[in-house]
Amino acid sequence: MSDVALKKIINNPEDFVDEVTESLLLAHPDRLRAASADRRALVRADAPVPGRVGIVTGGGSGHLPLFLGYVGQGLATGVAVGNVFSSPSAEQIAAATRASHGGAGVLYLYGNYGGDIYNFDLAADIVAAEGIATATVLGTDDILSAPRGKESTRRGVAGLFFAYKTAGAAADRGDDLAGVREIAQRTVDATRTMGVGLSPTILPAAGEPTFTLAEGEMEVGIGIHGEPGSHRGPLESADEITDRFLTEILAELDPAPGQRVAVLVNGLGATPLEELYLIYRRVHHVLTERGVTIHRRYIGEFATSLEMAGASLSLLLLDDELAELLDAPAASPFFAQGQVAPVAPVPAADIPVERTDSSGGARVRRTGRTSTLRALLVDALAELPAHAEELRALDARLGDGDLGITVSTGATAVREALLGLPADVHAADLLRTAGVAFASANPSTFAALVGTGLLHAAAETDDVDGVTAADAARITEAVAHRVQERGGARRGDKTFLDVLLAVAEALSDTTDARTAAEAAVAAAERTVSETRNLASARGRAAWVGQRSVGEPDPGSVAVLRFLEALRDRIG
């Protein structure tokens, strides 16, 4: 890789995302405002719109104008901004949700990526406790990321723009939450995208390419994070590449003569506009020859991958209602169509106080009795960062090596959050605070699953003042139930669900704290030992297949270390 390829106009790479959001707020104060102190939740300047469904999107940075470029009139209401190619946290999503809620509920509309799904689902749990109804639609337009019959597992890429446009128009005309969701889903179902990559992107913090291509090569079907495509070979002409796109897309959408479509030719960040128009030229000729009417065409950069060279083609098969909604006026800092009324920003005095604490600003209940659970957790959590290197090494052999930092930063965040609660805090509010703090500290899949599990346990133990051994079993069962529901794992898949289920069963036969602690640790140790000879069947560890046999599951070991710390502090 040459020095020229590594050149970027940035300051400190670690500050890249925060400086970008600050820049947008400074440049477009009439369009956008921050909805959180860290400026990772942004909303349109006039949000919330009373009586209208809010639309919140989000995802990793590095894709402008996707995602935050489509916050505006007739589009999305708010956005949560993650680090480059990384999910935003659940609390950032929740902050955007609160600021977008005009009383009619909020639609979550974003791409089909695991980390985003876990964190948006957790955010839905957080705001549900505050009385905000949400619904979700995932963009799944990337045609080569999964075969026919598995459309729901496809990635969401540039075609998500169409769903922002139609759903935003539906919200503006006053549709209820179910109606806006139906429009968004109908749009997603009728959209297909295919792309080609010609050169990699360079992550600001890493300074290294996300993939490599030999001179004169192209990769067809590549994802916007550099995920592998379905074909790598010599670079073809614009017409040949476009014909590849159309062969796949038209085979699935199969528009009949006289039907209308919308066309989106998208540049991935470093492709000249002239080349995008060459792609459109071929699309126009082929569709016209088929008798298909091009109702609208969009040509430019709509979903990028920093400086990746390449392009994608999206087609939306229209019905009369979708065509009308697509035609509606819209405006954001990155997109304008038709005439919209001037924005009337919400007066500063009417903007709710930003809530950046781990309780989400929720009022906590007090029992009048010192919480033994709070004191126990504060002490035990202080020990977990010492296991960061052990967990990192275990995870590096089976996954991406981030579990050590996830557990370490999460434990520290939860401990600080609990210290900020009253000593007599209600058990359910303690669990709720812990769940939000752990998930928000490091928005990984493990953190999101633990967080959503604790939130579910909080809801299930709302009637618990002090925690007995029986209550501990109930809490663990609730956590396990939600982890299984949201993560999709089953017993024996070699995930930390195995440990949770074993511990819940062991706790159900205990009556005092010391016996419960000993039984929990014994059950966890036994499960870690028994499952290490299994092949991992879920998560990143499943990708290494048989190489996972003989290795302990890192998440299960993390739970074991936590239980050991608790046991050592129970007399």
Side-chain angles (χ1 to χ4, degrees):
M1 183 61 64
S2 69
D3 291 339
V4 173
L6 296 178
K7 289 181 178 178
K8 282 182 172 288
I9 303 175
I10 61 175
N11 297 310
N12 183 344
E14 301 300 323
D15 298 330
F16 177 70
V17 175
D18 292 324
E19 290 185 350
V20 168
T21 57
E22 179 188 8
S23 301
L24 291 170
L25 290 167
L26 292 173
H28 305 288
D30 58 329
R31 293 286 185 187
L32 300 170
R33 70 173 176 86
S36 64
D38 62 3
R39 295 192 299 262
R40 291 301 189 92
L42 307 179
V43 294
R44 47 189 275 189
D46 59 346
V49 182
R52 293 290 186 263
V53 171
I55 299 175
V56 169
T57 188
S61 296
H63 303 302
L64 273 176
L66 199 73
F67 298 87
L68 65 87
Y70 301 116
V71 174
Q73 294 164 283
L75 298 163
T77 317
V79 62
V81 182
N83 289 326
V84 175
F85 297 0
S86 298
S87 172
S89 73
E91 183 51 36
Q92 289 161 348
I93 298 165
T97 306
R98 297 183 191 106
S100 299
H101 180 49
V106 174
L107 175 69
Y108 287 158
L109 179 57
Y110 58 97
N112 188 21
Y113 298 91
D116 294 333
I117 292 171
Y118 289 130
N119 282 293
F120 269 90
D121 284 351
L122 178 54
D125 290 340
I126 293 171
V127 299
E130 302 168 22
I132 301 176
T134 62
T136 297
V137 171
L138 302 177
T140 55
D141 55 304
D142 191 358
I143 195 169
L144 291 186
S145 59
R148 285 199 204 188
K150 295 186 177 181
E151 288 86 354
S152 65
T153 69
R154 289 174 173 170
R155 299 180 297 236
V157 286
L160 192 57
F161 160 78
F162 289 136
Y164 291 142
K165 185 67 198 61
T166 58
D172 268 8
R173 75 182 180 185
D175 289 15
D176 62 13
L177 182 57
V180 175
R181 184 197 177 283
E182 190 278 327
I183 289 294
Q185 189 63 61
R186 198 193 318 169
T187 304
V188 166
D189 291 343
T191 301
R192 299 291 187 275
T193 298
M194 189 167 162
V196 63
L198 308 181
S199 72
T201 185
I202 310 294
L203 299 183
E208 297 179 355
T210 52
F211 63 94
T212 58
L213 279 174
E215 191 72 25
E217 274 192 327
M218 67 176 187
E219 179 136 1
V220 177
I222 200 163
I224 58 174
H225 304 110
E227 298 98 332
S230 62
H231 167 79
R232 179 175 290 196
L235 179 62
E236 298 172 350
S237 69
D239 284 356
E240 289 171 328
I241 291 171
T242 306
D243 286 344
R244 281 183 178 272
F245 293 166
L246 289 171
T247 296
E248 299 290 343
I249 292 173
L250 295 178
E252 290 204 7
L253 291 182
D254 194 24
Q259 281 195 282
R260 292 178 291 173
V261 298
V263 176
L264 174 68
V265 180
N266 172 63
L268 291 176
T271 301
L273 193 57
E274 290 89 342
E275 295 177 21
L276 301 182
Y277 271 92
L278 291 181
I279 292 174
Y280 176 76
R281 167 184 171 274
R282 182 62 173 173
V283 171
H284 183 96
H285 288 326
V286 171
L287 292 181
T288 300
E289 290 170 3
R290 280 184 65 136
V292 176
T293 300
I294 299 176
H295 179 71
R296 276 193 176 271
R297 72 274 306 148
Y298 301 93
I299 305 163
E301 292 185 341
F302 291 80
T304 64
S305 186
L306 294 174
E307 68 274 69
M308 185 189 293
S312 65
L313 171 66
S314 303
L315 294 188
L316 166 62
L317 189 60
L318 294 165
D319 58 32
D320 289 343
E321 185 176 25
L322 292 183
E324 179 183 343
L325 293 168
L326 192 66
D327 290 343
S332 79
F334 291 81
F335 176 79
Q337 177 176 292
Q339 296 295 316
V340 299
V343 174
V346 176
D350 295 337
I351 296 175
V353 176
E354 293 174 350
R355 297 186 277 192
T356 57
D357 62 302
S358 295
S359 67
R363 184 178 179 181
V364 298
R365 289 163 291 178
R366 305 181 65 165
T367 64
R369 299 181 302 279
T370 299
S371 170
T372 303
L373 178 61
R374 175 182 175 274
L376 179 62
L377 289 174
V378 165
D379 285 347
L381 290 167
E383 184 177 314
L384 287 189
H387 299 289
E389 176 55 27
E390 175 196 14
L391 297 175
R392 183 209 63 77
L394 287 172
D395 194 40
R397 294 201 290 271
L398 296 183
D400 56 6
D402 68 348
L403 184 64
I405 191 66
T406 294
V407 171
S408 177
T409 58
T412 300
V414 173
R415 187 172 187 273
E416 291 175 354
L418 297 187
L419 286 171
L421 295 176
D424 60 345
V425 62
H426 191 285
D429 293 332
L430 182 151
L431 291 171
R432 188 172 295 111
T433 298
V436 174
F438 191 84
S440 299
N442 196 317
S444 67
T445 299
F446 181 81
L449 287 174
V450 171
T452 194
L454 290 171
L455 284 176
H456 185 59
E460 291 294 306
T461 57
D462 210 46
D463 58 342
V464 174
D465 286 338
V467 177
T468 64
D471 294 325
R474 183 177 167 192
I475 289 169
T476 308
E477 288 172 0
V479 172
H481 175 78
R482 182 51 61 91
V483 166
Q484 184 169 26
E485 179 183 66
R486 289 286 170 83
R490 296 176 297 179
R491 194 165 203 163
D493 282 347
K494 194 176 177 178
T495 71
F496 75 104
L497 174 68
D498 293 330
V499 169
L500 292 176
L501 292 172
V503 169
E505 291 167 358
L507 289 172
S508 65
D509 295 326
T510 62
T511 56
D512 65 274
R514 182 63 191 180
T515 302
E518 294 283 5
V521 170
E525 288 177 334
R526 183 175 62 254
T527 304
V528 169
S529 176
E530 291 174 350
T531 60
R532 71 181 300 153
N533 291 320
L534 300 177
S536 300
R538 295 291 299 184
R540 290 180 184 271
W543 298 350
V544 304
Q546 289 300 309
R547 286 165 48 203
S548 64
V549 175
E551 297 283 354
D553 174 63
S556 297
V557 174
V559 176
L560 172 59
R561 297 292 176 254
F562 170 66
L563 293 171
E564 289 172 340
L566 287 178
R567 177 200 60 191
D568 293 345
R569 284 155 180 80
I570 295 177

